[in-house]
């Protein structure tokens, strides 16, 4: 049964490398992906925080948004009809975090948008990439050519030694700062490099032609400072960094305000701004900016050592029968040697230090609302 279930799974250009290096392969977002290697999730997590970890994220969607006018500002204005972020202000060689919204203000996906000078480069989530491409075609085809870049791999190199490792193959990266991006030669290959990532650590994401992905990754892994890292540690790293996982911490039922993503919506797109509104769900989202939302994503620190997992219901006290919220991500934070979680609570109970309770195996466990990130980020700004 398992073999039949997995027969439809796609494979990234690095599949053979994962298997050869002992990756434990599991289904994820329609792909066969490594959840961990022989060293295990704990060591992979701590190695990334201390040195450099290499992640295969080739399952994510990469697209070019090319303006038919030849003016990148026209592509930026067009994309602003679908996202609440200021894309016009993204300078060449820079990128910005954004979200596709629906008419109810919910999030269809979150994505990265880069300005490559004559076009925009988008990276979207694997599980949403077909729908995202269709969404772009349905709304922007008159002004832009939507070009899926299916022949490229995508890897992330994360951790305090990422710069020194990558600089051996691309000297330009040492001059890059957080959210810088653009075409770079890496090991002689035509790549797109951004100084960003999903771990809270300084690091890079490298888009590489699929036929060269294994060669590049093998060269990076030849450095003793670098270990291959699976999905398990990727998840625990991003949770410690307080970063959302689409489909879990944010989805079509959550707005940017409810998701504590107000920082990602620039003043120019808010009420009174130069290009206020004009995106799906603007009325609801802008109203929440003015009046607040009834609930909010918060960080949670369980008392004791027991992790509180996704789906656990949250209660105001140890005895009440009506849940007030739910955990959306939770696990053990290896860097903290303690459990961490995030979830949604009524805004009135979202202040740091507020005590709530989670129901775990029939017991009520106390948690404290806590500031995120749980582990300070180390981005090079």
């Amino acid at each position: 049964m398992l073999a039949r279930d997995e027969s439809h799974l796609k494979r990234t250009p690095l599949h053979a490398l994962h298997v050869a290096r002992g990756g434990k392969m599991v289904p994820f977002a329609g792909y066969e992906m490594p959840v961990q290697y022989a060293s295990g999730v704990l060591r992979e997590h701590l190695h990334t925080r201390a040195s450099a970890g290499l992640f295969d994220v080739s399952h994510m969607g990469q697209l070019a948004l090319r303006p038919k006018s030849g003016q990148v500002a026209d592509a930026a204005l067009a994309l602003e009809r679908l996202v609440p972020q200021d894309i016009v202000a993204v300078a060449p060689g820079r990128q910005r975090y954004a979200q596709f919204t629906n008419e109810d203000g919910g999030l269809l996906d979150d994505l990265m948008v880069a300005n490559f000078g004559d076009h925009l480069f988008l990276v979207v989530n694997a599980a949403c990439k077909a729908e995202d491409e269709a969404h772009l075609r349905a709304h922007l085809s008159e002004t832009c050519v939507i070009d899926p870049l299916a022949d490229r791999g995508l890897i992330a190199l994360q951790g305090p030694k990422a710069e020194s490792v990558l600089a051996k193959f691309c000297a330009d990266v040492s001059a890059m700062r957080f959210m810088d991006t653009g075409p770079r030669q890496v090991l002689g290959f035509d790549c797109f490099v951004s100084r960003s990532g999903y771990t809270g650590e300084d690091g890079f994401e490298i888009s590489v032609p699929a036929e060269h992905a294994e060669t590049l990754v093998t060269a990076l892994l030849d450095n003793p400072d670098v270990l291959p890292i699976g999905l398990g540690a990727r998840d625990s790293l991003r949770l410690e960094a307080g970063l959302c996982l689409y489909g879990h911490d944010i989805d079509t039922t959550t707005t940017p305000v409810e998701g504590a993503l107000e920082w990602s919506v620039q003043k120019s797109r808010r009420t009174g701004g130069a290009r206020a509104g004009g995106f799906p769900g603007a009325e609801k989202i802008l109203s929440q900016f003015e009046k607040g939302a009834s609930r909010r994503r918060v960080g949670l620190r369980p008392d004791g050592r027991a992790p509180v997992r996704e789906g656990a219901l949250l209660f105001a006290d140890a005895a009440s029968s009506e849940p007030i919220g739910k955990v959306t991500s939770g696990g053990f934070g290896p860097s903290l040697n303690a459990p961490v979680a995030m979830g949604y609570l009524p805004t009135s109970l979202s202040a740091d230090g507020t005590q709530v309770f989670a129901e775990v195996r029939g017991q009520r466990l106390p948690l404290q609302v806590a500031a995120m990130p749980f582990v300070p980020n180390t981005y090079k700004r």
Side-chain angles (χ1 to χ4, degrees), residues 13-32:
L14 296 171
H15 181 272
L17 182 145
H18 297 314
V19 173
R21 291 178 178 262
K24 180 181 178 182
M25 308 304 285
V26 300
F28 182 80
Y31 283 78
E32 197 175 353

Side-chain angles (χ1 to χ4, degrees), residues 19-53:
V19 173
R21 291 178 178 262
K24 180 181 178 182
M25 308 304 285
V26 300
F28 182 80
Y31 283 78
E32 197 175 353
M33 298 292 291
V35 68
Q36 66 178 72
Y37 297 85
S39 55
V41 173
L42 177 64
R43 185 181 172 209
E44 291 173 23
H45 178 114
L46 295 175
H47 185 90
T48 303
R49 290 271 185 250
S51 189

Side-chain angles (χ1 to χ4, degrees), residues 7 23 39 75 86 92 117 127 143 145 165 182 188 197 219 227 233 253 290 292 297 369 377:
S7 64
S39 55
D86 185 340
T143 54
V145 175
V165 170
L227 276 183
T253 70
E290 299 294 318
R297 180 176 64 94
V369 176
N377 66 55

Side-chain angles (χ1 to χ4, degrees), residues 237-244 297 342 372-375:
L237 287 159
R238 69 92 193 168
L239 177 55
E240 287 185 345
L243 298 173
C244 296
R297 180 176 64 94
M342 65 175 78
M372 295 186 287
F374 300 109
V375 173

Side-chain angles (χ1 to χ4, degrees), residues 142-177:
E142 286 188 10
T143 54
C144 299
V145 175
I146 293 90
D147 183 12
L149 306 177
D151 58 347
R152 302 190 72 87
L154 188 66
I155 60 174
L157 185 67
Q158 300 282 294
K161 296 185 180 179
E163 180 187 301
S164 62
V165 170
L166 189 55
K168 291 179 171 63
F169 305 108
C170 178
D172 295 350
V173 300
S174 296
M176 296 176 72
R177 294 294 184 268

Side-chain angles (χ1 to χ4, degrees), residues 126-270:
C128 305
K129 62 185 179 181
E131 291 85 352
D132 289 348
E133 182 183 337
H135 187 55
L136 289 164
R137 291 190 186 284
H139 295 281
L140 305 188
S141 288
E142 286 188 10
T143 54
C144 299
V145 175
I146 293 90
D147 183 12
L149 306 177
D151 58 347
R152 302 190 72 87
L154 188 66
I155 60 174
L157 185 67
Q158 300 282 294
K161 296 185 180 179
E163 180 187 301
S164 62
V165 170
L166 189 55
K168 291 179 171 63
F169 305 108
C170 178
D172 295 350
V173 300
S174 296
M176 296 176 72
R177 294 294 184 268
F178 182 58
M179 300 297 262
D180 280 351
T181 185
R184 300 286 192 281
Q185 287 272 313
V186 184
L187 200 65
F189 304 135
D190 292 327
C191 296
F192 312 142
V193 179
S194 66
R195 193 159 198 161
S196 59
Y198 195 48
T199 60
E201 296 293 331
D202 180 31
F204 303 87
E205 290 188 315
I206 307 160
S207 172
V208 57
E211 66 268 25
H212 300 311
E214 187 168 340
T215 301
L216 176 56
V217 167
T218 299
L220 292 168
L221 289 174
D222 281 345
N223 190 313
D225 289 332
V226 184
L227 276 183
I229 310 296
L231 293 171
R234 181 171 166 85
D235 192 53
S236 58
L237 287 159
R238 69 92 193 168
L239 177 55
E240 287 185 345
L243 298 173
C244 296
L245 176 61
Y246 186 80
H248 299 257
D249 308 298
I250 52 175
D251 57 26
T252 56
T253 70
T254 54
T255 69
V257 178
E258 292 167 350
L261 299 173
E262 294 99 328
W263 58 268
S264 72
V265 181
Q266 291 71 36
K267 290 182 179 179
S268 62
R269 305 304 310 281
R270 302 188 195 183

